[in-house]
Amino acid sequence: MKYLDIDSWNRKQHFEHFRTLADPTFGIVADVEVSKCYQSAKENKQSFFVLYLHACMKAINEIESFKYRIEGDKVAIYDVINTSPTIARADNTFGFSYVEFSEDYKKFENNFLKEKERITNSTDLFPPKYSLGCVHCSAIPWVSFSSHKEPFSGDKDSSVPQLSFAKIKEENNKMLMPVAVNVNHALVDGYDLGQFFEKFQAHLDKIN
């Protein structure tokens, strides 16, 4: 991890402006096509969620602004961004996980399965390990939403991106999944969200 030189940053004024707002977060919902991903998961008996989550995290780690986190008066740049998805239990509660990212799918899948086992066999809400170098995400596979709002802690410097994945819908013989992304505008702009969705889709399309 290193720290951003804010004084020479071309977004210094943007950063300072959005930090003055009571709530500097903004979010959008957009569709990604998951036809190939879903078919691959079915054919290879893999978890559809883990498969698309891995593609998502590849995209996240390719965008520098998604690695920025506000820490006091500094902006930290994390080397690798991990993920903290909610994992459901049989009693319909859930636990927050912390899954270390790996470019290698098998390693990522193994990290996820270890966290799933821990949550399944406990009642803890929070993971024993955590870092701001992650994204928070959850799946809401019961409804295909077109808008979404995340809980707000009241901390305007909260800068961990939040994602939510909706129920698949079918349009023109394509399987589309709405994805909500919520970010701190002091660090992330609309252009960055556009890049994220473009890269996410590219990784989904590469899945065999």
Side-chain angles (χ1 to χ4, degrees), residues 8-75:
S8 64
W9 189 17
N10 64 350
R11 288 189 74 261
K12 180 182 178 180
Q13 293 183 56
H14 304 69
F15 173 71
E16 292 176 343
H17 165 69
F18 286 107
R19 291 193 77 190
T20 67
L21 304 184
D23 179 4
T25 62
F26 81 103
I28 66 170
V29 177
D31 295 336
V32 293
E33 186 185 351
V34 293
S35 306
K36 290 184 68 176
C37 180
Y38 184 86
Q39 187 64 29
S40 178
K42 185 176 180 180
E43 290 177 354
N44 296 302
K45 297 181 179 180
Q46 295 173 310
S47 165
F48 173 56
F49 175 68
V50 178
L51 203 58
Y52 75 67
L53 181 61
H54 186 245
C56 173
M57 293 310 300
K58 281 185 174 182
I60 290 286
N61 275 279
E62 290 172 357
I63 302 171
E64 182 165 332
S65 63
F66 274 77
K67 296 182 176 183
Y68 294 170
R69 300 292 182 271
I70 298 173
E71 297 183 359
D73 290 326
K74 297 181 179 180
V75 175

Side-chain angles (χ1 to χ4, degrees), residues 10-11 26 34 46 57 85 87 90 101 103 115 119 122 130 132 137 139-140 146 149 152 187 192-194 201 207:
N10 64 350
R11 288 189 74 261
F26 81 103
V34 293
Q46 295 173 310
M57 293 310 300
I87 296 178
F101 174 69
E103 284 279 346
E115 275 293 83
I119 289 172
S122 77
Y130 181 76
L132 291 178
C137 56
I140 307 179
S146 58
K149 182 185 180 302
F152 179 53
L187 302 178
D192 303 303
L193 291 186
Q201 187 63 66
I207 293 173

